[in-house]
Amino acid sequence: MKFDRQEALHQATDLFWAKGFHATSMRTIQQAMDMRPGSIYASFGSKEALFKQALQYYAANSQARLAACVEQSDSPLAGLKRFISEVVMGCDQAPSSMCMLVKSITELTEDNVELLLEAKRLLNGMEQAFAEVLAQAQAQQQLSGDVDSTRLARYLQMQLMGLRAYVRANSDAKEHLESLIDDVFNGFITT
Amino acid sequence: MKFDRQEALHQATDLFWAKGFHATSMRTIQQAMDMRPGSIYASFGSKEALFKQALQYYAANSQARLAACVEQSDSPLAGLKRFISEVVMGCDQAPSSMCMLVKSITELTEDNVELLLEAKRLLNGMEQAFAEVLAQAQAQQQLSGDVDSTRLARYLQMQLMGLRAYVRANSDAKEHLESLIDDVFNGFITT
DNA sequence: ACTGGATTTGAACGATCGTTCAAGCCATAA
DNA sequence: TTATGGCTTGAACGATCGTTCAAATCCAGT
């Protein structure tokens, strides 16, 4: 049976996502991957390199899910809202209610500049993906075209960060969740 | 010269705030405090206990600053906006652009339940403080009284989390900052 | 000056960290 | 069957982690 690199990376990503960079030890990762240190270092290089690849794996997954949401919905805007709901409501199964990129940017310091910059870069990619969906909505007259879509995307991203952080801090506030999502979504639509 | 417990705690708080719980070693703290391990453990108990006291110190400071802002301003609402601006704009001197409580809640897991719960508790305290200021504003007819002030406070806290996280992730976006603050503030006022 | 209790010191502990590498294993080719 | 080359293994490394504690130091009261 061949070694499944993708699956191993998936396990590592979930662990890093749940516990963060510093609190996740290589020994825990070895256990989750069912691999011995030598193999891991041969495949991924180092803990930092592995984390970087985990970030990229996570970001690629997120963008794919956004694209899937848009495709499965009737309109770009509906797809966007579906994505937001999916992300915020489905946080029970996820390793963390928060975005792994935001968590990483929150945790990392100048001691790991490369990782910090990579996380920022990938998060900017997400913002651009949002902007593209919003531009689509504008092209289809679903959204007023007199506001810069990148500005809307920025506002949306900020709101989404706040939403997911709030859920993390107040996990029992699931009741208010749908209304909060609506507030966020409507708030930024009418901006 | 007597040992200044408050000053020592202040140094520790700044370190924890900047680097988080796991990435801050006791040796770094010893250096920042200019104290030897024995003295620290005699005064504060353990790393966890020290961090808990740092959280409390930080939260008390934050509430005091909010109160000061309200007092120095002409109205509760103006005080609130001043506080938000102060917090978001003045993040250059601060150890981190993000709230230490939010950072902690983001970083900590079930491996340190007590710290996690304490951070959540203190953050709820902040939210309540917001609610009180908003209730004041309602009492002075500065804000419509037909919306629950605790609901407004919740929304404000979510927005503030998003704002500070966004600034952290996109530190070069200081240009859009004032407009973002306005958006946040106005957005939640008209809700 | 002397004493006794409180405080400060810093070496050292065991545990765990990220990482390495010689030795063992296994599939393929001759 | 044997030789070869790459992959896997897990013990072990030095560094650092949080923490302890006996010894040194300090200072108030006599």
Side-chain angles (χ1 to χ4, degrees):
Chain A
M1 198 187 94
K2 201 186 170 307
F3 147 63
D4 189 342
R5 192 178 197 279
Q6 189 85 345
E7 175 59 21
L9 186 53
H10 178 76
Q11 300 296 336
T13 303
D14 273 11
L15 256 184
F16 277 133
W17 188 2
K19 309 180 46 130
F21 178 71
H22 287 108
T24 306
S25 73
M26 287 305 287
R27 284 182 165 75
T28 313
I29 291 174
Q30 291 158 26
Q31 190 176 336
M33 283 183 165
D34 192 30
M35 288 171 72
R36 260 39 65 194
S39 303
I40 295 179
Y41 278 80
S43 291
F44 300 100
S46 68
K47 189 191 183 187
E48 281 211 8
L50 174 57
F51 189 78
K52 191 172 184 176
Q53 292 169 68
L55 287 175
Q56 289 160 351
Y57 176 79
Y58 173 88
N61 235 43
S62 295
Q63 297 222 19
R65 283 179 56 201
L66 172 59
C69 281
V70 170
E71 197 169 7
Q72 288 167 26
S73 298
D74 299 328
S75 73
L77 228 47
L80 206 51
K81 185 164 186 180
R82 177 195 286 233
F83 177 76
I84 296 172
S85 300
E86 200 175 296
V87 148
V88 178
M89 308 290 287
C91 67
D92 301 309
Q93 294 104 338
S96 166
S97 81
M98 294 190 63
C99 169
M100 184 185 174
L101 302 176
V102 176
K103 272 196 74 164
S104 302
I105 290 169
T106 300
E107 175 186 9
L108 296 172
T109 68
E110 300 302 322
D111 298 344
N112 306 92
V113 213
E114 199 181 329
L115 296 181
L116 182 57
L117 288 179
E118 181 67 6
K120 287 186 181 182
R121 193 182 68 81
L122 293 167
L123 194 63
N124 264 309
M126 282 301 298
E127 193 172 314
Q128 279 175 36
F130 287 148
E132 282 166 25
V133 175
L134 289 168
Q136 267 185 262
Q138 285 179 326
Q140 296 181 20
Q141 322 283 352
Q142 206 192 350
L143 191 62
S144 161
D146 58 357
V147 182
D148 190 3
S149 62
T150 67
R151 190 183 173 326
L152 283 179
R154 178 165 51 241
Y155 191 59
L156 174 61
Q157 176 129 118
M158 189 200 74
Q159 297 266 69
L160 198 49
M161 285 180 179
L163 198 48
R164 296 178 81 172
Y166 190 88
V167 170
R168 166 85 188 133
N170 216 323
S171 46
D172 52 321
K174 297 271 167 59
E175 23 179 346
H176 315 294
L177 232 159
E178 280 189 70
S179 72
L180 269 176
I181 294 178
D182 285 338
D183 285 354
V184 164
F185 199 72
N186 297 327
F188 102 95
I189 285 305
T190 62
T191 298
Chain B
M1 198 185 96
K2 202 188 169 304
F3 148 63
D4 188 343
R5 192 176 198 281
Q6 189 85 344
E7 176 58 21
L9 186 52
H10 178 76
Q11 299 296 336
T13 304
D14 273 10
L15 257 183
F16 277 133
W17 188 3
K19 309 179 46 125
F21 178 71
H22 287 107
T24 306
S25 73
M26 287 305 286
R27 283 182 166 75
T28 314
I29 291 175
Q30 290 159 26
Q31 190 176 335
M33 283 183 165
D34 192 29
M35 289 172 71
R36 262 38 65 193
S39 304
I40 295 179
Y41 279 81
S43 291
F44 300 99
S46 67
K47 189 190 182 185
E48 282 211 8
L50 174 57
F51 189 78
K52 190 172 183 176
Q53 292 169 67
L55 287 176
Q56 289 160 352
Y57 176 79
Y58 174 88
N61 235 43
S62 295
Q63 297 222 21
R65 283 179 56 201
L66 172 59
C69 282
V70 170
E71 196 169 6
Q72 287 168 28
S73 298
D74 299 328
S75 73
L77 227 48
L80 206 51
K81 185 165 185 180
R82 178 196 285 233
F83 177 75
I84 296 172
S85 300
E86 199 175 296
V87 148
V88 178
M89 309 288 289
C91 67
D92 301 309
Q93 294 103 338
S96 166
S97 80
M98 295 190 62
C99 168
M100 184 184 173
L101 302 177
V102 176
K103 272 196 74 165
S104 302
I105 290 169
T106 300
E107 174 185 9
L108 295 172
T109 67
E110 300 303 321
D111 298 343
N112 306 91
V113 214
E114 198 181 331
L115 295 182
L116 182 56
L117 288 178
E118 181 67 5
K120 287 186 181 181
R121 194 181 68 81
L122 292 167
L123 194 63
N124 264 310
M126 281 302 299
E127 193 171 313
Q128 278 175 36
F130 287 147
E132 281 166 26
V133 175
L134 289 168
Q136 268 185 261
Q138 286 179 327
Q140 297 182 20
Q141 322 282 355
Q142 205 191 353
L143 191 61
S144 161
D146 57 358
V147 181
D148 189 3
S149 63
T150 67
R151 191 186 173 322
L152 282 180
R154 178 164 52 239
Y155 191 60
L156 173 61
Q157 175 129 117
M158 188 198 75
Q159 298 266 70
L160 198 49
M161 285 181 178
L163 199 48
R164 297 178 81 171
Y166 191 88
V167 169
R168 166 85 188 133
N170 217 322
S171 45
D172 52 321
K174 298 271 167 59
E175 22 178 348
H176 316 294
L177 232 161
E178 280 188 71
S179 72
L180 269 176
I181 294 178
D182 284 339
D183 286 354
V184 164
F185 198 72
N186 296 326
F188 103 94
I189 285 304
T190 63
T191 296

